[in-house]
mmCIF file of all heavy atoms in Angstrom:
data_model
loop_
_atom_site.group_PDB
_atom_site.id
_atom_site.type_symbol
_atom_site.label_atom_id
_atom_site.label_comp_id
_atom_site.label_asym_id
_atom_site.label_seq_id
_atom_site.Cartn_x
_atom_site.Cartn_y
_atom_site.Cartn_z
ATOM 1 N N LYS A 1 5.412 -8.418 -14.467
ATOM 2 C CA LYS A 1 4.230 -8.670 -15.297
ATOM 3 C C LYS A 1 2.992 -9.015 -14.463
ATOM 4 O O LYS A 1 1.893 -9.093 -15.001
ATOM 5 C CB LYS A 1 4.506 -9.799 -16.319
ATOM 6 C CG LYS A 1 5.701 -9.517 -17.226
ATOM 7 C CD LYS A 1 5.545 -8.205 -17.984
ATOM 8 C CE LYS A 1 6.740 -7.934 -18.903
ATOM 9 N NZ LYS A 1 6.661 -6.606 -19.560
ATOM 10 N N ARG A 2 3.193 -9.258 -13.179
ATOM 11 C CA ARG A 2 2.048 -9.559 -12.281
ATOM 12 C C ARG A 2 1.552 -8.316 -11.567
ATOM 13 O O ARG A 2 0.629 -8.390 -10.755
ATOM 14 C CB ARG A 2 2.461 -10.643 -11.271
ATOM 15 C CG ARG A 2 2.712 -11.993 -11.862
ATOM 16 C CD ARG A 2 3.458 -12.892 -10.864
ATOM 17 N NE ARG A 2 2.726 -12.981 -9.621
ATOM 18 C CZ ARG A 2 3.275 -13.407 -8.471
ATOM 19 N NH1 ARG A 2 4.546 -13.739 -8.454
ATOM 20 N NH2 ARG A 2 2.559 -13.481 -7.354
ATOM 21 N N LEU A 3 2.157 -7.192 -11.845
ATOM 22 C CA LEU A 3 1.793 -5.941 -11.166
ATOM 23 C C LEU A 3 0.607 -5.269 -11.881
ATOM 24 O O LEU A 3 0.584 -5.146 -13.077
ATOM 25 C CB LEU A 3 3.014 -5.007 -11.176
ATOM 26 C CG LEU A 3 2.731 -3.545 -10.774
ATOM 27 C CD1 LEU A 3 2.269 -3.444 -9.323
ATOM 28 C CD2 LEU A 3 3.992 -2.693 -10.973
ATOM 29 N N TYR A 4 -0.326 -4.810 -11.075
ATOM 30 C CA TYR A 4 -1.467 -3.983 -11.548
ATOM 31 C C TYR A 4 -1.420 -2.697 -10.739
ATOM 32 O O TYR A 4 -1.484 -2.739 -9.510
ATOM 33 C CB TYR A 4 -2.792 -4.737 -11.339
ATOM 34 C CG TYR A 4 -4.009 -4.036 -11.882
ATOM 35 C CD1 TYR A 4 -4.556 -4.409 -13.109
ATOM 36 C CD2 TYR A 4 -4.607 -3.016 -11.192
ATOM 37 C CE1 TYR A 4 -5.686 -3.792 -13.613
ATOM 38 C CE2 TYR A 4 -5.752 -2.354 -11.683
ATOM 39 C CZ TYR A 4 -6.264 -2.750 -12.890
ATOM 40 O OH TYR A 4 -7.394 -2.111 -13.408
ATOM 41 N N LEU A 5 -1.320 -1.555 -11.417
ATOM 42 C CA LEU A 5 -1.198 -0.265 -10.754
ATOM 43 C C LEU A 5 -2.486 0.528 -10.772
ATOM 44 O O LEU A 5 -3.128 0.670 -11.851
ATOM 45 C CB LEU A 5 -0.083 0.584 -11.383
ATOM 46 C CG LEU A 5 1.340 0.301 -10.920
ATOM 47 C CD1 LEU A 5 2.311 1.216 -11.661
ATOM 48 C CD2 LEU A 5 1.514 0.492 -9.408
ATOM 49 N N ILE A 6 -2.862 1.025 -9.606
ATOM 50 C CA ILE A 6 -3.955 2.007 -9.491
ATOM 51 C C ILE A 6 -3.264 3.348 -9.229
ATOM 52 O O ILE A 6 -2.748 3.567 -8.124
ATOM 53 C CB ILE A 6 -4.919 1.640 -8.367
ATOM 54 C CG1 ILE A 6 -5.524 0.248 -8.635
ATOM 55 C CG2 ILE A 6 -6.014 2.681 -8.217
ATOM 56 C CD1 ILE A 6 -6.265 -0.325 -7.442
ATOM 57 N N ILE A 7 -3.263 4.235 -10.205
ATOM 58 C CA ILE A 7 -2.538 5.468 -10.104
ATOM 59 C C ILE A 7 -3.472 6.561 -9.620
ATOM 60 O O ILE A 7 -4.450 6.899 -10.276
ATOM 61 C CB ILE A 7 -1.916 5.854 -11.465
ATOM 62 C CG1 ILE A 7 -0.972 4.737 -11.926
ATOM 63 C CG2 ILE A 7 -1.152 7.161 -11.353
ATOM 64 C CD1 ILE A 7 -0.305 5.006 -13.266
ATOM 65 N N ALA A 8 -3.174 7.119 -8.442
ATOM 66 C CA ALA A 8 -4.037 8.105 -7.798
ATOM 67 C C ALA A 8 -3.455 9.498 -7.952
ATOM 68 O O ALA A 8 -2.275 9.745 -7.713
ATOM 69 C CB ALA A 8 -4.185 7.771 -6.297
ATOM 70 N N GLY A 9 -4.315 10.414 -8.418
ATOM 71 C CA GLY A 9 -3.900 11.796 -8.618
ATOM 72 C C GLY A 9 -4.824 12.510 -9.574
ATOM 73 O O GLY A 9 -5.936 12.024 -9.866
ATOM 74 N N ARG A 10 -4.395 13.645 -10.074
ATOM 75 C CA ARG A 10 -5.196 14.412 -11.005
ATOM 76 C C ARG A 10 -5.202 13.713 -12.354
ATOM 77 O O ARG A 10 -4.156 13.587 -13.012
ATOM 78 C CB ARG A 10 -4.632 15.819 -11.128
ATOM 79 C CG ARG A 10 -4.861 16.648 -9.842
ATOM 80 C CD ARG A 10 -4.153 17.958 -9.888
ATOM 81 N NE ARG A 10 -4.422 18.747 -8.667
ATOM 82 C CZ ARG A 10 -3.674 19.751 -8.260
ATOM 83 N NH1 ARG A 10 -2.588 20.094 -8.938
ATOM 84 N NH2 ARG A 10 -4.009 20.402 -7.157
ATOM 85 N N GLU A 11 -6.394 13.273 -12.784
ATOM 86 C CA GLU A 11 -6.509 12.414 -13.955
ATOM 87 C C GLU A 11 -5.904 13.024 -15.200
ATOM 88 O O GLU A 11 -5.189 12.323 -15.937
ATOM 89 C CB GLU A 11 -7.989 12.110 -14.197
ATOM 90 C CG GLU A 11 -8.210 11.089 -15.301
ATOM 91 C CD GLU A 11 -9.640 10.642 -15.383
ATOM 92 O OE1 GLU A 11 -10.505 11.192 -14.657
ATOM 93 O OE2 GLU A 11 -9.933 9.720 -16.205
ATOM 94 N N ALA A 12 -6.141 14.292 -15.469
ATOM 95 C CA ALA A 12 -5.646 14.910 -16.690
ATOM 96 C C ALA A 12 -4.105 14.906 -16.701
ATOM 97 O O ALA A 12 -3.487 14.630 -17.745
ATOM 98 C CB ALA A 12 -6.160 16.335 -16.801
ATOM 99 N N GLU A 13 -3.502 15.195 -15.573
ATOM 100 C CA GLU A 13 -2.040 15.228 -15.499
ATOM 101 C C GLU A 13 -1.452 13.840 -15.629
ATOM 102 O O GLU A 13 -0.384 13.662 -16.243
ATOM 103 C CB GLU A 13 -1.588 15.895 -14.169
ATOM 104 C CG GLU A 13 -1.979 17.360 -14.081
ATOM 105 C CD GLU A 13 -1.470 18.012 -12.809
ATOM 106 O OE1 GLU A 13 -0.327 17.674 -12.385
ATOM 107 O OE2 GLU A 13 -2.215 18.846 -12.219
ATOM 108 N N ILE A 14 -2.124 12.854 -15.062
ATOM 109 C CA ILE A 14 -1.658 11.468 -15.158
ATOM 110 C C ILE A 14 -1.674 11.017 -16.598
ATOM 111 O O ILE A 14 -0.721 10.423 -17.132
ATOM 112 C CB ILE A 14 -2.512 10.549 -14.273
ATOM 113 C CG1 ILE A 14 -2.336 10.866 -12.789
ATOM 114 C CG2 ILE A 14 -2.165 9.080 -14.540
ATOM 115 C CD1 ILE A 14 -3.281 10.160 -11.866
ATOM 116 N N LYS A 15 -2.792 11.266 -17.271
ATOM 117 C CA LYS A 15 -2.918 10.863 -18.676
ATOM 118 C C LYS A 15 -1.881 11.553 -19.554
ATOM 119 O O LYS A 15 -1.326 10.904 -20.485
ATOM 120 C CB LYS A 15 -4.327 11.165 -19.187
ATOM 121 C CG LYS A 15 -5.404 10.233 -18.620
ATOM 122 C CD LYS A 15 -6.760 10.571 -19.202
ATOM 123 C CE LYS A 15 -7.807 9.572 -18.715
ATOM 124 N NZ LYS A 15 -9.183 9.912 -19.258
ATOM 125 N N ALA A 16 -1.604 12.828 -19.285
ATOM 126 C CA ALA A 16 -0.580 13.522 -20.064
ATOM 127 C C ALA A 16 0.786 12.920 -19.891
ATOM 128 O O ALA A 16 1.572 12.807 -20.847
ATOM 129 C CB ALA A 16 -0.583 15.002 -19.649
ATOM 130 N N GLU A 17 1.112 12.493 -18.702
ATOM 131 C CA GLU A 17 2.428 11.858 -18.434
ATOM 132 C C GLU A 17 2.495 10.450 -19.024
ATOM 133 O O GLU A 17 3.481 10.065 -19.632
ATOM 134 C CB GLU A 17 2.708 11.821 -16.929
ATOM 135 C CG GLU A 17 2.967 13.196 -16.303
ATOM 136 C CD GLU A 17 4.204 13.842 -16.884
ATOM 137 O OE1 GLU A 17 5.178 13.156 -17.256
ATOM 138 O OE2 GLU A 17 4.192 15.097 -16.976
ATOM 139 N N LEU A 18 1.419 9.677 -18.833
ATOM 140 C CA LEU A 18 1.397 8.307 -19.361
ATOM 141 C C LEU A 18 1.504 8.292 -20.895
ATOM 142 O O LEU A 18 2.047 7.332 -21.461
ATOM 143 C CB LEU A 18 0.106 7.604 -18.945
ATOM 144 C CG LEU A 18 0.016 7.131 -17.496
ATOM 145 C CD1 LEU A 18 -1.356 6.603 -17.173
ATOM 146 C CD2 LEU A 18 1.091 6.067 -17.191
ATOM 147 N N ALA A 19 1.014 9.346 -21.530
ATOM 148 C CA ALA A 19 1.036 9.417 -23.010
ATOM 149 C C ALA A 19 2.478 9.460 -23.559
ATOM 150 O O ALA A 19 2.696 9.185 -24.766
ATOM 151 C CB ALA A 19 0.262 10.667 -23.467
ATOM 152 N N LYS A 20 3.445 9.711 -22.690
ATOM 153 C CA LYS A 20 4.850 9.791 -23.134
ATOM 154 C C LYS A 20 5.459 8.389 -23.250
ATOM 155 O O LYS A 20 6.559 8.264 -23.807
ATOM 156 C CB LYS A 20 5.658 10.600 -22.116
ATOM 157 C CG LYS A 20 5.205 12.048 -21.933
ATOM 158 C CD LYS A 20 6.011 12.726 -20.846
ATOM 159 C CE LYS A 20 5.540 14.139 -20.592
ATOM 160 N NZ LYS A 20 6.293 14.801 -19.509
ATOM 161 N N TYR A 21 4.784 7.358 -22.770
ATOM 162 C CA TYR A 21 5.416 6.050 -22.666
ATOM 163 C C TYR A 21 4.542 4.954 -23.319
ATOM 164 O O TYR A 21 3.355 5.110 -23.504
ATOM 165 C CB TYR A 21 5.638 5.671 -21.208
ATOM 166 C CG TYR A 21 6.386 6.706 -20.390
ATOM 167 C CD1 TYR A 21 5.722 7.624 -19.591
ATOM 168 C CD2 TYR A 21 7.773 6.788 -20.504
ATOM 169 C CE1 TYR A 21 6.413 8.572 -18.855
ATOM 170 C CE2 TYR A 21 8.472 7.741 -19.787
ATOM 171 C CZ TYR A 21 7.787 8.629 -18.975
ATOM 172 O OH TYR A 21 8.496 9.571 -18.267
ATOM 173 N N LYS A 22 5.229 3.843 -23.614
ATOM 174 C CA LYS A 22 4.551 2.647 -24.027
ATOM 175 C C LYS A 22 4.448 1.734 -22.806
ATOM 176 O O LYS A 22 5.473 1.470 -22.139
ATOM 177 C CB LYS A 22 5.309 1.954 -25.150
ATOM 178 C CG LYS A 22 5.292 2.699 -26.481
ATOM 179 C CD LYS A 22 6.038 1.912 -27.542
ATOM 180 C CE LYS A 22 6.023 2.675 -28.864
ATOM 181 N NZ LYS A 22 6.755 1.904 -29.919
ATOM 182 N N TYR A 23 3.278 1.213 -22.529
ATOM 183 C CA TYR A 23 3.064 0.386 -21.347
ATOM 184 C C TYR A 23 1.798 -0.450 -21.572
ATOM 185 O O TYR A 23 1.033 -0.200 -22.503
ATOM 186 C CB TYR A 23 2.944 1.217 -20.082
ATOM 187 C CG TYR A 23 1.747 2.139 -20.090
ATOM 188 C CD1 TYR A 23 0.551 1.768 -19.492
ATOM 189 C CD2 TYR A 23 1.789 3.361 -20.731
ATOM 190 C CE1 TYR A 23 -0.545 2.586 -19.507
ATOM 191 C CE2 TYR A 23 0.673 4.209 -20.775
ATOM 192 C CZ TYR A 23 -0.471 3.811 -20.152
ATOM 193 O OH TYR A 23 -1.599 4.636 -20.194
ATOM 194 N N ASP A 24 1.609 -1.449 -20.718
ATOM 195 C CA ASP A 24 0.453 -2.321 -20.784
ATOM 196 C C ASP A 24 -0.723 -1.629 -20.098
ATOM 197 O O ASP A 24 -0.874 -1.686 -18.877
ATOM 198 C CB ASP A 24 0.775 -3.671 -20.144
ATOM 199 C CG ASP A 24 -0.370 -4.661 -20.267
ATOM 200 O OD1 ASP A 24 -1.427 -4.290 -20.796
ATOM 201 O OD2 ASP A 24 -0.199 -5.799 -19.813
ATOM 202 N N ALA A 25 -1.569 -0.980 -20.897
ATOM 203 C CA ALA A 25 -2.661 -0.226 -20.337
ATOM 204 C C ALA A 25 -3.712 -1.100 -19.630
ATOM 205 O O ALA A 25 -4.485 -0.609 -18.786
ATOM 206 C CB ALA A 25 -3.369 0.573 -21.458
ATOM 207 N N SER A 26 -3.704 -2.405 -19.917
ATOM 208 C CA SER A 26 -4.645 -3.303 -19.272
ATOM 209 C C SER A 26 -4.306 -3.511 -17.791
ATOM 210 O O SER A 26 -5.125 -4.079 -17.054
ATOM 211 C CB SER A 26 -4.695 -4.643 -19.987
ATOM 212 O OG SER A 26 -3.457 -5.349 -19.845
ATOM 213 N N ARG A 27 -3.110 -3.119 -17.413
ATOM 214 C CA ARG A 27 -2.685 -3.299 -16.009
ATOM 215 C C ARG A 27 -2.606 -1.943 -15.278
ATOM 216 O O ARG A 27 -1.914 -1.833 -14.269
ATOM 217 C CB ARG A 27 -1.339 -4.029 -15.948
ATOM 218 C CG ARG A 27 -1.428 -5.458 -16.414
ATOM 219 C CD ARG A 27 -0.142 -6.212 -16.110
ATOM 220 N NE ARG A 27 0.938 -5.844 -17.012
ATOM 221 C CZ ARG A 27 2.144 -5.440 -16.611
ATOM 222 N NH1 ARG A 27 2.427 -5.340 -15.318
ATOM 223 N NH2 ARG A 27 3.062 -5.121 -17.489
ATOM 224 N N VAL A 28 -3.321 -0.956 -15.785
ATOM 225 C CA VAL A 28 -3.300 0.368 -15.177
ATOM 226 C C VAL A 28 -4.708 0.923 -15.117
ATOM 227 O O VAL A 28 -5.470 0.800 -16.079
ATOM 228 C CB VAL A 28 -2.417 1.358 -15.990
ATOM 229 C CG1 VAL A 28 -2.533 2.767 -15.451
ATOM 230 C CG2 VAL A 28 -0.967 0.883 -15.998
ATOM 231 N N GLU A 29 -5.077 1.505 -13.951
ATOM 232 C CA GLU A 29 -6.292 2.287 -13.887
ATOM 233 C C GLU A 29 -5.989 3.587 -13.120
ATOM 234 O O GLU A 29 -5.015 3.633 -12.345
ATOM 235 C CB GLU A 29 -7.434 1.503 -13.232
ATOM 236 C CG GLU A 29 -7.262 1.231 -11.741
ATOM 237 C CD GLU A 29 -8.471 0.521 -11.147
ATOM 238 O OE1 GLU A 29 -9.375 1.244 -10.680
ATOM 239 O OE2 GLU A 29 -8.486 -0.713 -11.132
ATOM 240 N N ILE A 30 -6.801 4.586 -13.340
ATOM 241 C CA ILE A 30 -6.573 5.884 -12.727
ATOM 242 C C ILE A 30 -7.674 6.140 -11.677
ATOM 243 O O ILE A 30 -8.846 6.006 -11.959
ATOM 244 C CB ILE A 30 -6.562 6.983 -13.772
ATOM 245 C CG1 ILE A 30 -5.404 6.801 -14.754
ATOM 246 C CG2 ILE A 30 -6.487 8.381 -13.128
ATOM 247 C CD1 ILE A 30 -5.401 7.783 -15.895
ATOM 248 N N LEU A 31 -7.220 6.525 -10.465
ATOM 249 C CA LEU A 31 -8.145 6.939 -9.421
ATOM 250 C C LEU A 31 -8.025 8.468 -9.334
ATOM 251 O O LEU A 31 -7.046 9.014 -8.845
ATOM 252 C CB LEU A 31 -7.747 6.290 -8.085
ATOM 253 C CG LEU A 31 -8.592 6.623 -6.865
ATOM 254 C CD1 LEU A 31 -10.010 6.092 -7.050
ATOM 255 C CD2 LEU A 31 -7.969 6.015 -5.600
ATOM 256 N N ASP A 32 -9.054 9.142 -9.842
ATOM 257 C CA ASP A 32 -8.993 10.618 -9.920
ATOM 258 C C ASP A 32 -9.050 11.246 -8.536
ATOM 259 O O ASP A 32 -10.063 11.100 -7.816
ATOM 260 C CB ASP A 32 -10.153 11.121 -10.804
ATOM 261 C CG ASP A 32 -10.039 12.619 -11.088
ATOM 262 O OD1 ASP A 32 -8.916 13.138 -11.040
ATOM 263 O OD2 ASP A 32 -11.079 13.249 -11.359
ATOM 264 N N CYS A 33 -7.984 11.943 -8.171
ATOM 265 C CA CYS A 33 -7.913 12.591 -6.860
ATOM 266 C C CYS A 33 -7.428 14.029 -7.107
ATOM 267 O O CYS A 33 -6.222 14.325 -7.043
ATOM 268 C CB CYS A 33 -6.932 11.884 -5.922
ATOM 269 S SG CYS A 33 -7.384 10.156 -5.549
ATOM 270 N N PRO A 34 -8.353 14.965 -7.372
ATOM 271 C CA PRO A 34 -7.949 16.328 -7.725
ATOM 272 C C PRO A 34 -7.342 17.126 -6.593
ATOM 273 O O PRO A 34 -6.608 18.091 -6.839
ATOM 274 C CB PRO A 34 -9.283 16.954 -8.192
ATOM 275 C CG PRO A 34 -10.348 16.117 -7.603
ATOM 276 C CD PRO A 34 -9.793 14.734 -7.539
ATOM 277 N N ASP A 35 -7.605 16.738 -5.326
ATOM 278 C CA ASP A 35 -7.014 17.445 -4.205
ATOM 279 C C ASP A 35 -5.599 16.937 -3.946
ATOM 280 O O ASP A 35 -5.345 15.719 -4.063
ATOM 281 C CB ASP A 35 -7.866 17.273 -2.942
ATOM 282 C CG ASP A 35 -9.211 17.953 -3.047
ATOM 283 O OD1 ASP A 35 -9.337 18.855 -3.895
ATOM 284 O OD2 ASP A 35 -10.118 17.600 -2.283
ATOM 285 N N VAL A 36 -4.721 17.825 -3.531
ATOM 286 C CA VAL A 36 -3.354 17.446 -3.204
ATOM 287 C C VAL A 36 -3.006 17.930 -1.813
ATOM 288 O O VAL A 36 -3.246 19.104 -1.461
ATOM 289 C CB VAL A 36 -2.338 18.035 -4.211
ATOM 290 C CG1 VAL A 36 -0.915 17.707 -3.796
ATOM 291 C CG2 VAL A 36 -2.615 17.500 -5.622
ATOM 292 N N ILE A 37 -2.485 17.041 -0.986
ATOM 293 C CA ILE A 37 -2.047 17.428 0.368
ATOM 294 C C ILE A 37 -0.587 17.938 0.278
ATOM 295 O O ILE A 37 0.302 17.190 -0.088
ATOM 296 C CB ILE A 37 -2.146 16.249 1.318
ATOM 297 C CG1 ILE A 37 -3.596 15.785 1.464
ATOM 298 C CG2 ILE A 37 -1.585 16.621 2.707
ATOM 299 C CD1 ILE A 37 -3.805 14.559 2.312
ATOM 300 N N GLY A 38 -0.409 19.213 0.603
ATOM 301 C CA GLY A 38 0.899 19.827 0.530
ATOM 302 C C GLY A 38 1.736 19.585 1.795
ATOM 303 O O GLY A 38 1.209 19.186 2.821
ATOM 304 N N MET A 39 3.029 19.868 1.663
ATOM 305 C CA MET A 39 3.949 19.659 2.812
ATOM 306 C C MET A 39 3.606 20.610 3.983
ATOM 307 O O MET A 39 3.961 20.335 5.114
ATOM 308 C CB MET A 39 5.381 19.854 2.352
ATOM 309 C CG MET A 39 5.828 18.796 1.346
ATOM 310 S SD MET A 39 5.754 17.121 2.014
ATOM 311 C CE MET A 39 6.375 16.185 0.603
ATOM 312 N N ASN A 40 2.973 21.738 3.704
ATOM 313 C CA ASN A 40 2.666 22.707 4.741
ATOM 314 C C ASN A 40 1.268 22.494 5.359
ATOM 315 O O ASN A 40 0.915 23.204 6.292
ATOM 316 C CB ASN A 40 2.758 24.139 4.163
ATOM 317 C CG ASN A 40 4.179 24.471 3.779
ATOM 318 O OD1 ASN A 40 5.124 24.107 4.443
ATOM 319 N ND2 ASN A 40 4.294 25.234 2.668
ATOM 320 N N ASP A 41 0.509 21.559 4.794
ATOM 321 C CA ASP A 41 -0.811 21.254 5.393
ATOM 322 C C ASP A 41 -0.650 20.531 6.695
ATOM 323 O O ASP A 41 0.278 19.718 6.903
ATOM 324 C CB ASP A 41 -1.631 20.357 4.429
ATOM 325 C CG ASP A 41 -2.113 21.135 3.218
ATOM 326 O OD1 ASP A 41 -2.294 22.368 3.303
ATOM 327 O OD2 ASP A 41 -2.319 20.503 2.165
#
């Protein structure tokens, strides 16, 4: 209950996944990072 998460990634995809669950939204923020570093980069 003392954890606050900053979730980094593509905002639209994060919101779509979070919508599947019940959670304390006051302890979550999204850091929009549309670029993804691949394993071959």
Side-chain angles (χ1 to χ4, degrees):
K1 302 304 180 184
R2 293 166 55 198
L3 168 64
Y4 184 100
L5 276 180
I6 301 169
I7 301 179
R10 291 172 177 159
E11 186 172 6
E13 294 182 39
I14 294 171
K15 288 182 176 179
E17 290 298 327
L18 284 173
K20 300 176 183 178
Y21 306 99
K22 291 182 179 180
Y23 63 96
D24 184 357
S26 68
R27 293 190 287 126
V28 174
E29 69 177 270
I30 297 175
L31 180 65
D32 188 25
C33 299
D35 292 340
V36 176
I37 297 176
M39 295 299 180
N40 294 323
D41 288 333

